[in-house]
Amino acid sequence: MSYAYLFKYIIIGDTGVGKSCLLLQFTDKRFQPVHDLTIGVEFGARMITIDSKQIKLQIWDTAGQEAFRSITRSYYRGAAGALLVYDITRRETFNHLTTWLDDARQHSNSNMVIMLIGNKSDLESRREVKKEEGEAFAREHGLVFMETSAKTAANVEEAFINTAKEIYEKIQEGVFDINNEANGIKIGPQHSPTNPSLPGSGSSGGSQGSGCC
Amino acid sequence: MAFLEWRKFHFFDLHPNVDDGKLSELFKENKITTTSSGNNHLVLSDSLGQIYLVSRSWHTSCFRAYEISVDFTQQMTSAPILVTIGQDEPGVNPLIKVWDTSRLDKNGSPYCYRITRALPGNRPVQVSALCVHDNLQLMAVGFIDGSLIIYRGDVTRDRSSKQKVLRTSNSFITGLAFKSTASNVFLFVATEALVVVYNVTQKDKEQKYHLDNIGCAKKCCVLAESMQESHFMIGRDDAVYCYTSDGRGPCYAVDGEKIALEWFRSYLIIISKSTRSTNLTAMPASNENSINQSVVNETNSITVLDIHNKFIVFSTTMPKIKAILNEWGALYILDEANRVYHLDENDLQSKLSLLFKKNLYDIAIRIAKSHQYDSDGLVNIFKQYGDHLCDKSDFSGAIEQYIKTIGKLEPSYVIRKFLDSQHIEKLTMYLQALHKRGQATEDHTTLLLNCYTKLNNSLGQSDNLKEFILSKDGDFSYDIDVAIKVCRQGSPAEALMLSKKHEKHDWYIKIQLEDHRRYAEVLDYIANLKFEEAEHYMRKFGTVLVENAPHESTRLLKKLCTDYKPAGAECGPLTGNFDVTVRADPEEFIHLFLSNSERLIEFLEHLMGEGSVLSRPVYNTLLEHYLHVWSNSENVSDKNKLSQKILKLMQNPDVDYDKSQALVVCHMNSFKDGICILVFNGRFGHQEPTLWVQALWSCVRNKTNPSMDLLNEILTVIAKEKLFSPQLVVDAIGTGNANVTLGHIRSYITNELQQERKKTKEIAELTANYRRDTDKLKELLGKLKEDVVEIRGSRCAACHHTLELPKIHFLCEHSFHQHCFQSFSDDENECPTCQPENKDLLELLKAREHNKDLHETFHSHLEKAPDGFSVVAEYLSRGVFNRYKIIADEALQKTLEMAPERNNNVKREPATELATYGAGAEARLRQSEVKSKPRAAPVSEGRMRTQEHRYSHSLEANMEYWKPKSVAKSAVKSNPFQGGGVSCTNPFGEEDYDEAKNPFNDGEDEDEDSDRNNPFREDLRPF
Ligand SMILES: Nc1nc2c(ncn2[C@@H]2O[C@H](COP(=O)(O)OP(=O)(O)OP(=O)(O)O)[C@@H](O)[C@H]2O)c(=O)[nH]1
Ligand SMILES: [Mg+2]
């Protein structure tokens, strides 16, 4: 399918906070109650529309376990957006946010949009982290904040789409160097301004779209 | 570490030595350099430049492909084409050769299509990777310096081939893979330091995309193609990284230094260096000789990763592995010692049973699904899973599984498990699901609703039931009637809701009435229905409603019979059919008011007020109930008011009521005024003379206000019509309470007396005359008998000439010449002169005789006659009823007796034809039968039989006409043969008639015509 832009996201956060569930909810619209540990990095993609433009989101859902940190770190660099997830029912996942944020800032490109997500908002009775705390943390670190539930799908869509909007705005503002794929943004085949001089590119790409997925 | 996180199963078996050691025999001296497989054979190449093609039966054929060595081979899977790169000369001089393995030359070696030198630029560089596209139009060769040559055009033809040299990087190219999408062709290139992808769709427009800054070792990359999204995978020590043409994809953390990656079905096979010596023990026992192998101490581990389900389906360690070969749908592993192992995937069933043993049902389900297991099989797993969860007391989990079995598994299986009251919530869930799927039977609905009710009671969760009931029609499918029935017992409110929602008016009304006795609600409800329904339900439930909510019901009924509109729709603007106002027939509802006269009156008055023209029975009823109320009411003023009303009604010319019935009713309730009105209206005067008498009675009994005019009128009529003897009138007036003085009736009495006197005189005169006449006749008779009759006649009465002999004398003193007499008379016994007179007389008598069976005339006479008795008397005098009763009796008896015997020999005689109708006729026949039995009996019987039914008709008719009881009785008792046709049983014996006076009993002279006198004739249909 053809797209105007391809944005790459990474989802990070402690193990068990619901990263994989968020992805599954976003891509497949379903919820998996059994915890299937992510071993390595899982991957999902979905098309969204922003400003009447087709945007393909490619999302890396990383393993939260410490053991996989070295593997997952390498994924920061190619991402334009990150969902930093904690579990509102487990304070320690909130406490680890700074570590995650440092890690992300260190290994990603500086323009990466980071969305802070307090997941499992459906488990209000077991809440350990107040919404205000999350908001405060986000304000302090310049993040966008949102509470979601991968179970009920509340705010899941919004979390991904708002991040994309943010990235899109940054592109419009010229903050992102869209020609550097390391930023996690790719221009769709037919929109590619990189090689407009190539004689065939216009005719070939226009109808063909991306070969992948 | 991370490695351990994968779930592990054992879905493969490793069978060693599947080739019986043939290959190790073959490669004793030489070393296998490269392998490939496809097109129904394995391709093994050795360091001496020879290529071995191995068939499925491990049969090998060998040919020399290169002088020095074979370095790379690729056997196309779908074509008998083998592409190789090797050395024919010493030094760096790689040659590409393309072979047709299906065409062998005389030496037994395959036909070689082309030989091409592989040189990136002008420098000789060692080849490090080879990849041929399946379409046989693209071929890529990678070199150790990072250069890449792409050959376009038919790989089997040298000349058409165009080559392009690309530089990926400076690092050793370790792997190449083509991937075609609908519109693009990509070439993934893995080097030791990075991964790139080229879009090679168009010639000379190859575009390079950088994918990653990490690379992999030789053989450690593979294109995983059987998934929805194919990935190029590279194996690194920490993990297997995947790429799409857009960049990085997922990554599987599998530890260990990778030696090779292979893709098989949906499995990733990872061969890595085994780091843990402890794993040696995990080696299959059959491999014990590998431990003896002292050549290499190193072992490899083989891991099969199910990418789709994310678990390891096989892992073991084994001696160093040289190659993995994928052919014939199976996986073969070749170790350094050239031993061949078969890595055999278990069939689904054994996988599942393995999982079941471990109670890993969720995984079993996942696997079954990814194997496209049939739904029956899946249901079986769901069931087992459910059972297992049940055993573990995870009932909600179990129900979740059982729900998935709906449609296949018999619901009773599940229901039985959850019938215990503590599982009621789960059972409810299941039943709900059952309904959602439309698989529920009536019983299930019943059960579910009962569950709801129970939950309601115990937990106060009343919402479920409501939700269920209020659910959209499509959500749950169930039998509404059953649901209502069940709800009615447990939660009546819901039953009502349900019936209202589904417009089960019957139920709604029934429940409201029978369970709640909410009559007003029911009436409101009915008032909201459409006319037809409202009418129907009023008719159906009206009795109860009127009984219990008389006022409201009456109001509704009034509406129904005048201008009914559903209450809800009253203000609706779209009353397009307002002119077609349907009205219910009030008659239909009258019976509802049987015990409530007031309401009925109200109802009917309303209807009349609305200008409805009611039918005669309705008016009758109204009158009747008026009177009923009137007679029951104690209050005098009420009574008066009512009587005014009644009288008004009776005098209303528009009101068409049955007067006679009215009369009866008035009578019953002693409503004298009514009787008077009926009488005065003159409609009964002549028909029912007794009315006048009654009027008289009522008049004289009325103590309060005797109306003298009335009295006079009555008396006049009585006098005129001779209804009542004056004596009785005086009696009546005398006994009455009314203040009637003699003066009031004086004129009447005088009148009466005068008349009486006049009449007496007349009669006296008449009597005198008759007496005189009689005396004369007696005298004459005496003379004729005793005296001598002088015949003095001298002239012939015929010719008036003097008589001469011979002559004839008659006692009437007429004489004739014999010749005159002979020519004049018809009858020699009669006097021709007297004959006309006699004849007239006889005819008169005959005519009289004849008249008596003209019943219409009789009746009309009777009706018209002021004195009916005289008419009857006259008719009797003509012998009208002569022996009638006997005859009738006989006939009936006969009919009854004959009926049972069925005899078909029907014989008719013309002689009896004229008398074949009427009971009288029958009687006549009986008579003749008695007289001349031999002749008549069969005839009459035959005729009777043919007409059995007709007689039974007449029986019925008679029974209606006469007092049925006595007729029947007499009919049974009397014997037709008794007394030779003259029955002595008088059916009217018990009646007002005196036996002696019985007109039916004294007619002795039966003649042929007696049947004609049958007064029943008009009840019998002549044929
Ligand atoms: N109630 C509730 N449970 C959730 C939600 N999101 C995730 N979970 C549960 O949390 C557990 C962990 O979810 P995952 O998505 O597998 O966690 P993860 O972040 O991917 O964990 P790692 O892969 O180990 O990093 C699962 O059992 C989920 O069922 C949520 O929004 N609400
Ligand atoms: Mg995960």
Side-chain angles (χ1 to χ4, degrees), chain B residues 323-354:
Chain B
I324 308 161
L325 294 159
N326 173 7
E327 187 58 38
W328 308 303
L331 208 58
Y332 297 94
I333 295 168
L334 191 67
D335 72 5
E336 284 294 347
N338 299 323
R339 282 169 299 204
V340 184
Y341 302 82
H342 178 204
L343 191 56
D344 185 19
E345 186 179 4
N346 296 347
D347 62 10
L348 181 58
Q349 214 49 56
S350 44
K351 281 186 200 174
L352 292 179
S353 56
L354 191 116

mmCIF file of all heavy atoms in Angstrom, chain B residues 323-354:
data_model
loop_
_atom_site.group_PDB
_atom_site.id
_atom_site.type_symbol
_atom_site.label_atom_id
_atom_site.label_comp_id
_atom_site.label_asym_id
_atom_site.label_seq_id
_atom_site.Cartn_x
_atom_site.Cartn_y
_atom_site.Cartn_z
ATOM 1 N N ALA B 323 25.551 -28.959 7.090
ATOM 2 C CA ALA B 323 24.544 -28.375 6.210
ATOM 3 C C ALA B 323 23.154 -28.825 6.616
ATOM 4 O O ALA B 323 22.976 -29.865 7.227
ATOM 5 C CB ALA B 323 24.809 -28.774 4.763
ATOM 6 N N ILE B 324 22.199 -28.000 6.236
ATOM 7 C CA ILE B 324 20.800 -28.362 6.417
ATOM 8 C C ILE B 324 20.202 -28.431 5.025
ATOM 9 O O ILE B 324 20.371 -27.508 4.220
ATOM 10 C CB ILE B 324 20.037 -27.302 7.222
ATOM 11 C CG1 ILE B 324 20.779 -26.979 8.526
ATOM 12 C CG2 ILE B 324 18.630 -27.784 7.532
ATOM 13 C CD1 ILE B 324 20.342 -25.662 9.119
ATOM 14 N N LEU B 325 19.556 -29.516 4.712
ATOM 15 C CA LEU B 325 19.003 -29.698 3.374
ATOM 16 C C LEU B 325 17.499 -29.840 3.466
ATOM 17 O O LEU B 325 16.970 -30.623 4.271
ATOM 18 C CB LEU B 325 19.616 -30.928 2.714
ATOM 19 C CG LEU B 325 21.112 -30.788 2.431
ATOM 20 C CD1 LEU B 325 21.753 -32.138 2.280
ATOM 21 C CD2 LEU B 325 21.351 -29.939 1.205
ATOM 22 N N ASN B 326 16.813 -29.061 2.681
ATOM 23 C CA ASN B 326 15.353 -29.035 2.721
ATOM 24 C C ASN B 326 14.833 -29.541 1.389
ATOM 25 O O ASN B 326 14.885 -28.849 0.381
ATOM 26 C CB ASN B 326 14.914 -27.589 2.996
ATOM 27 C CG ASN B 326 13.416 -27.418 2.887
ATOM 28 O OD1 ASN B 326 12.676 -28.389 2.734
ATOM 29 N ND2 ASN B 326 12.982 -26.187 2.963
ATOM 30 N N GLU B 327 14.420 -30.792 1.374
ATOM 31 C CA GLU B 327 13.904 -31.356 0.128
ATOM 32 C C GLU B 327 12.883 -32.435 0.463
ATOM 33 O O GLU B 327 12.903 -32.994 1.547
ATOM 34 C CB GLU B 327 15.062 -31.926 -0.702
ATOM 35 C CG GLU B 327 14.662 -32.396 -2.086
ATOM 36 C CD GLU B 327 14.023 -31.307 -2.941
ATOM 37 O OE1 GLU B 327 14.458 -30.158 -2.862
ATOM 38 O OE2 GLU B 327 13.060 -31.601 -3.667
ATOM 39 N N TRP B 328 12.042 -32.700 -0.486
ATOM 40 C CA TRP B 328 10.986 -33.705 -0.308
ATOM 41 C C TRP B 328 10.129 -33.373 0.917
ATOM 42 O O TRP B 328 9.662 -34.259 1.641
ATOM 43 C CB TRP B 328 11.580 -35.116 -0.207
ATOM 44 C CG TRP B 328 12.511 -35.436 -1.347
ATOM 45 C CD1 TRP B 328 12.220 -35.395 -2.665
ATOM 46 C CD2 TRP B 328 13.869 -35.844 -1.235
ATOM 47 N NE1 TRP B 328 13.320 -35.738 -3.426
ATOM 48 C CE2 TRP B 328 14.358 -36.025 -2.557
ATOM 49 C CE3 TRP B 328 14.739 -36.062 -0.160
ATOM 50 C CZ2 TRP B 328 15.662 -36.404 -2.834
ATOM 51 C CZ3 TRP B 328 16.026 -36.461 -0.449
ATOM 52 C CH2 TRP B 328 16.475 -36.625 -1.785
ATOM 53 N N GLY B 329 9.963 -32.143 1.146
ATOM 54 C CA GLY B 329 9.141 -31.729 2.269
ATOM 55 C C GLY B 329 9.705 -32.110 3.619
ATOM 56 O O GLY B 329 8.994 -32.117 4.609
ATOM 57 N N ALA B 330 10.960 -32.438 3.645
ATOM 58 C CA ALA B 330 11.553 -32.849 4.907
ATOM 59 C C ALA B 330 12.877 -32.120 5.095
ATOM 60 O O ALA B 330 13.377 -31.459 4.180
ATOM 61 C CB ALA B 330 11.771 -34.351 4.934
ATOM 62 N N LEU B 331 13.370 -32.256 6.288
ATOM 63 C CA LEU B 331 14.581 -31.534 6.626
ATOM 64 C C LEU B 331 15.689 -32.537 6.961
ATOM 65 O O LEU B 331 15.498 -33.417 7.794
ATOM 66 C CB LEU B 331 14.287 -30.651 7.843
ATOM 67 C CG LEU B 331 15.094 -29.381 7.993
ATOM 68 C CD1 LEU B 331 14.945 -28.472 6.791
ATOM 69 C CD2 LEU B 331 14.635 -28.661 9.249
ATOM 70 N N TYR B 332 16.768 -32.390 6.261
ATOM 71 C CA TYR B 332 17.892 -33.309 6.502
ATOM 72 C C TYR B 332 19.062 -32.517 7.011
ATOM 73 O O TYR B 332 19.303 -31.394 6.571
ATOM 74 C CB TYR B 332 18.252 -34.048 5.218
ATOM 75 C CG TYR B 332 17.105 -34.915 4.739
ATOM 76 C CD1 TYR B 332 16.192 -34.426 3.813
ATOM 77 C CD2 TYR B 332 16.927 -36.201 5.244
ATOM 78 C CE1 TYR B 332 15.123 -35.193 3.397
ATOM 79 C CE2 TYR B 332 15.851 -36.974 4.841
ATOM 80 C CZ TYR B 332 14.960 -36.476 3.908
ATOM 81 O OH TYR B 332 13.891 -37.234 3.528
ATOM 82 N N ILE B 333 19.738 -33.122 7.945
ATOM 83 C CA ILE B 333 20.906 -32.446 8.520
ATOM 84 C C ILE B 333 22.136 -33.304 8.258
ATOM 85 O O ILE B 333 22.116 -34.527 8.459
ATOM 86 C CB ILE B 333 20.710 -32.216 10.027
ATOM 87 C CG1 ILE B 333 19.547 -31.234 10.224
ATOM 88 C CG2 ILE B 333 21.982 -31.682 10.665
ATOM 89 C CD1 ILE B 333 19.069 -31.138 11.635
ATOM 90 N N LEU B 334 23.110 -32.636 7.774
ATOM 91 C CA LEU B 334 24.360 -33.330 7.433
ATOM 92 C C LEU B 334 25.431 -32.861 8.405
ATOM 93 O O LEU B 334 25.656 -31.654 8.551
ATOM 94 C CB LEU B 334 24.742 -32.947 5.990
ATOM 95 C CG LEU B 334 25.860 -33.718 5.304
ATOM 96 C CD1 LEU B 334 25.433 -35.160 5.054
ATOM 97 C CD2 LEU B 334 26.226 -33.039 4.001
ATOM 98 N N ASP B 335 26.027 -33.780 9.115
ATOM 99 C CA ASP B 335 27.061 -33.331 10.057
ATOM 100 C C ASP B 335 28.441 -33.434 9.435
ATOM 101 O O ASP B 335 28.583 -33.847 8.289
ATOM 102 C CB ASP B 335 26.946 -34.067 11.395
ATOM 103 C CG ASP B 335 27.381 -35.535 11.316
ATOM 104 O OD1 ASP B 335 27.865 -35.953 10.227
ATOM 105 O OD2 ASP B 335 27.195 -36.258 12.311
ATOM 106 N N GLU B 336 29.423 -33.019 10.189
ATOM 107 C CA GLU B 336 30.789 -32.964 9.642
ATOM 108 C C GLU B 336 31.254 -34.335 9.184
ATOM 109 O O GLU B 336 32.047 -34.453 8.260
ATOM 110 C CB GLU B 336 31.766 -32.420 10.701
ATOM 111 C CG GLU B 336 31.705 -30.922 10.934
ATOM 112 C CD GLU B 336 32.146 -30.068 9.735
ATOM 113 O OE1 GLU B 336 32.740 -30.609 8.784
ATOM 114 O OE2 GLU B 336 31.837 -28.850 9.755
ATOM 115 N N ALA B 337 30.753 -35.353 9.828
ATOM 116 C CA ALA B 337 31.164 -36.706 9.471
ATOM 117 C C ALA B 337 30.298 -37.276 8.357
ATOM 118 O O ALA B 337 30.266 -38.482 8.139
ATOM 119 C CB ALA B 337 31.093 -37.612 10.702
ATOM 120 N N ASN B 338 29.553 -36.392 7.707
ATOM 121 C CA ASN B 338 28.705 -36.757 6.577
ATOM 122 C C ASN B 338 27.606 -37.753 6.924
ATOM 123 O O ASN B 338 27.203 -38.563 6.110
ATOM 124 C CB ASN B 338 29.551 -37.319 5.419
ATOM 125 C CG ASN B 338 30.537 -36.290 4.928
ATOM 126 O OD1 ASN B 338 30.201 -35.097 4.885
ATOM 127 N ND2 ASN B 338 31.750 -36.723 4.584
ATOM 128 N N ARG B 339 27.171 -37.665 8.138
ATOM 129 C CA ARG B 339 26.036 -38.485 8.505
ATOM 130 C C ARG B 339 24.756 -37.675 8.282
ATOM 131 O O ARG B 339 24.750 -36.456 8.454
ATOM 132 C CB ARG B 339 26.126 -38.889 9.975
ATOM 133 C CG ARG B 339 27.105 -40.019 10.185
ATOM 134 C CD ARG B 339 27.388 -40.228 11.647
ATOM 135 N NE ARG B 339 27.985 -39.024 12.226
ATOM 136 C CZ ARG B 339 28.727 -39.035 13.307
ATOM 137 N NH1 ARG B 339 28.978 -40.169 13.936
ATOM 138 N NH2 ARG B 339 29.240 -37.930 13.787
ATOM 139 N N VAL B 340 23.758 -38.373 7.855
ATOM 140 C CA VAL B 340 22.508 -37.676 7.529
ATOM 141 C C VAL B 340 21.467 -37.969 8.602
ATOM 142 O O VAL B 340 21.235 -39.112 8.972
ATOM 143 C CB VAL B 340 21.973 -38.118 6.149
ATOM 144 C CG1 VAL B 340 20.729 -37.306 5.792
ATOM 145 C CG2 VAL B 340 23.039 -37.948 5.095
ATOM 146 N N TYR B 341 20.856 -36.904 9.073
ATOM 147 C CA TYR B 341 19.774 -37.022 10.060
ATOM 148 C C TYR B 341 18.499 -36.486 9.422
ATOM 149 O O TYR B 341 18.533 -35.560 8.620
ATOM 150 C CB TYR B 341 20.070 -36.182 11.299
ATOM 151 C CG TYR B 341 21.364 -36.536 11.991
ATOM 152 C CD1 TYR B 341 22.584 -36.021 11.532
ATOM 153 C CD2 TYR B 341 21.363 -37.349 13.130
ATOM 154 C CE1 TYR B 341 23.770 -36.321 12.173
ATOM 155 C CE2 TYR B 341 22.550 -37.648 13.779
ATOM 156 C CZ TYR B 341 23.749 -37.137 13.307
ATOM 157 O OH TYR B 341 24.925 -37.431 13.943
ATOM 158 N N HIS B 342 17.461 -37.092 9.818
ATOM 159 C CA HIS B 342 16.166 -36.586 9.353
ATOM 160 C C HIS B 342 15.494 -35.883 10.526
ATOM 161 O O HIS B 342 15.243 -36.495 11.558
ATOM 162 C CB HIS B 342 15.291 -37.740 8.844
ATOM 163 C CG HIS B 342 13.925 -37.304 8.395
ATOM 164 N ND1 HIS B 342 12.864 -38.156 8.359
ATOM 165 C CD2 HIS B 342 13.474 -36.112 7.957
ATOM 166 C CE1 HIS B 342 11.793 -37.496 7.920
ATOM 167 N NE2 HIS B 342 12.153 -36.248 7.669
ATOM 168 N N LEU B 343 15.242 -34.613 10.349
ATOM 169 C CA LEU B 343 14.528 -33.870 11.385
ATOM 170 C C LEU B 343 13.052 -33.918 11.019
ATOM 171 O O LEU B 343 12.601 -33.269 10.079
ATOM 172 C CB LEU B 343 15.045 -32.423 11.430
ATOM 173 C CG LEU B 343 14.595 -31.588 12.626
ATOM 174 C CD1 LEU B 343 14.967 -32.257 13.939
ATOM 175 C CD2 LEU B 343 15.224 -30.201 12.556
ATOM 176 N N ASP B 344 12.361 -34.731 11.780
ATOM 177 C CA ASP B 344 11.005 -35.103 11.369
ATOM 178 C C ASP B 344 9.988 -34.388 12.262
ATOM 179 O O ASP B 344 9.981 -34.558 13.486
ATOM 180 C CB ASP B 344 10.863 -36.625 11.508
ATOM 181 C CG ASP B 344 9.527 -37.108 10.990
ATOM 182 O OD1 ASP B 344 8.889 -36.343 10.223
ATOM 183 O OD2 ASP B 344 9.127 -38.219 11.355
ATOM 184 N N GLU B 345 9.143 -33.619 11.645
ATOM 185 C CA GLU B 345 8.124 -32.904 12.429
ATOM 186 C C GLU B 345 7.011 -33.870 12.806
ATOM 187 O O GLU B 345 6.522 -34.633 11.972
ATOM 188 C CB GLU B 345 7.546 -31.749 11.599
ATOM 189 C CG GLU B 345 6.602 -30.897 12.424
ATOM 190 C CD GLU B 345 6.015 -29.728 11.649
ATOM 191 O OE1 GLU B 345 6.281 -29.622 10.436
ATOM 192 O OE2 GLU B 345 5.280 -28.942 12.254
ATOM 193 N N ASN B 346 6.611 -33.821 14.065
ATOM 194 C CA ASN B 346 5.509 -34.677 14.495
ATOM 195 C C ASN B 346 4.218 -34.217 13.840
ATOM 196 O O ASN B 346 4.064 -33.049 13.490
ATOM 197 C CB ASN B 346 5.318 -34.587 16.006
ATOM 198 C CG ASN B 346 6.522 -35.103 16.755
ATOM 199 O OD1 ASN B 346 7.393 -35.740 16.159
ATOM 200 N ND2 ASN B 346 6.603 -34.816 18.023
ATOM 201 N N ASP B 347 3.313 -35.161 13.702
ATOM 202 C CA ASP B 347 2.029 -34.723 13.150
ATOM 203 C C ASP B 347 1.243 -33.977 14.221
ATOM 204 O O ASP B 347 1.560 -34.021 15.415
ATOM 205 C CB ASP B 347 1.233 -35.904 12.585
ATOM 206 C CG ASP B 347 0.889 -36.935 13.633
ATOM 207 O OD1 ASP B 347 1.097 -36.642 14.832
ATOM 208 O OD2 ASP B 347 0.427 -38.024 13.266
ATOM 209 N N LEU B 348 0.265 -33.286 13.763
ATOM 210 C CA LEU B 348 -0.481 -32.393 14.645
ATOM 211 C C LEU B 348 -1.057 -33.140 15.837
ATOM 212 O O LEU B 348 -1.000 -32.675 16.970
ATOM 213 C CB LEU B 348 -1.599 -31.729 13.837
ATOM 214 C CG LEU B 348 -2.460 -30.739 14.606
ATOM 215 C CD1 LEU B 348 -1.608 -29.617 15.184
ATOM 216 C CD2 LEU B 348 -3.544 -30.170 13.716
ATOM 217 N N GLN B 349 -1.549 -34.341 15.554
ATOM 218 C CA GLN B 349 -2.204 -35.075 16.620
ATOM 219 C C GLN B 349 -1.243 -35.382 17.758
ATOM 220 O O GLN B 349 -1.588 -35.210 18.923
ATOM 221 C CB GLN B 349 -2.810 -36.370 16.049
ATOM 222 C CG GLN B 349 -4.093 -36.777 16.723
ATOM 223 C CD GLN B 349 -5.081 -35.609 16.824
ATOM 224 O OE1 GLN B 349 -5.438 -34.996 15.818
ATOM 225 N NE2 GLN B 349 -5.488 -35.274 18.034
ATOM 226 N N SER B 350 -0.041 -35.795 17.391
ATOM 227 C CA SER B 350 0.876 -36.130 18.486
ATOM 228 C C SER B 350 1.357 -34.862 19.181
ATOM 229 O O SER B 350 1.607 -34.866 20.388
ATOM 230 C CB SER B 350 2.046 -36.977 17.987
ATOM 231 O OG SER B 350 2.546 -36.462 16.801
ATOM 232 N N LYS B 351 1.451 -33.773 18.411
ATOM 233 C CA LYS B 351 1.788 -32.507 19.073
ATOM 234 C C LYS B 351 0.724 -32.161 20.101
ATOM 235 O O LYS B 351 1.014 -31.783 21.235
ATOM 236 C CB LYS B 351 1.820 -31.369 18.041
ATOM 237 C CG LYS B 351 3.058 -31.285 17.206
ATOM 238 C CD LYS B 351 2.968 -30.027 16.369
ATOM 239 C CE LYS B 351 3.876 -30.079 15.167
ATOM 240 N NZ LYS B 351 3.686 -28.931 14.287
ATOM 241 N N LEU B 352 -0.507 -32.301 19.638
ATOM 242 C CA LEU B 352 -1.608 -31.918 20.514
ATOM 243 C C LEU B 352 -1.653 -32.813 21.747
ATOM 244 O O LEU B 352 -1.813 -32.333 22.869
ATOM 245 C CB LEU B 352 -2.941 -31.984 19.750
ATOM 246 C CG LEU B 352 -3.106 -30.932 18.653
ATOM 247 C CD1 LEU B 352 -4.439 -31.113 17.953
ATOM 248 C CD2 LEU B 352 -2.974 -29.525 19.195
ATOM 249 N N SER B 353 -1.470 -34.098 21.514
ATOM 250 C CA SER B 353 -1.575 -34.981 22.676
ATOM 251 C C SER B 353 -0.441 -34.690 23.649
ATOM 252 O O SER B 353 -0.618 -34.790 24.867
ATOM 253 C CB SER B 353 -1.601 -36.448 22.245
ATOM 254 O OG SER B 353 -0.482 -36.732 21.477
ATOM 255 N N LEU B 354 0.692 -34.291 23.108
ATOM 256 C CA LEU B 354 1.795 -33.898 23.983
ATOM 257 C C LEU B 354 1.406 -32.683 24.824
ATOM 258 O O LEU B 354 1.643 -32.619 26.026
ATOM 259 C CB LEU B 354 3.008 -33.560 23.107
ATOM 260 C CG LEU B 354 4.323 -33.378 23.832
ATOM 261 C CD1 LEU B 354 5.289 -34.458 23.386
ATOM 262 C CD2 LEU B 354 4.907 -32.018 23.523
#
